Amino acid sequence: MAELIKLCATGDVKEESPLQVSPEGYPQLSVWEFEGQYYVVDDMCTHGMAWMSDGYQEGEEIECPFHGGRFGLKTGEPTAFPCVVPIKNYPVTIDDGQVCITKE
Ligand code: FES
C-alpha cells in the first residue's frame, strides 16, 4: 500500500487561508481548501520566485502575489498570464482528519 505523508489537519486550512508545509524530500508545498475539498500544489510559482500561499484565492483559482498570474487548484493548469507552465498538483487523501499526499 502506498505510503501517505501527513501535511496538516483539515482544520488548519480554510478557503483564502492556505498553509505552507515542508515535508521532507519535497519542495515547499501549500495546502488549500475550496468547498470542502483540499488541494496541494508546489508553493513556488512557475513564473518566478514567489510563494503562492502569499497570494490570493478566488474560488478554485489561486493568484500569484508578484505578477497576478493564476492557476486552477484542481488541475494546476495556468489560467491567467504571465503563468504558462502548470504548477505541480498532488493528489490528496484525507486520513483521520489529516490532509495527506502519497509518497512518490
Ligand atoms: S512570479 Fe508568479 S506570476 Fe510572476
Side-chain angles (χ1 to χ4, degrees), residues 53-90:
S53 57
D54 287 338
Y56 313 95
Q57 180 179 3
E58 198 174 304
E60 65 153 308
E61 286 191 333
I62 55 176
E63 181 175 312
C64 178
F66 272 18
H67 311 110
R70 288 183 171 211
F71 303 92
L73 279 175
K74 294 180 180 175
T75 63
E77 289 295 319
T79 56
F81 195 76
C83 297
V84 292
V85 176
I87 201 163
K88 185 165 180 180
N89 162 301
Y90 298 78

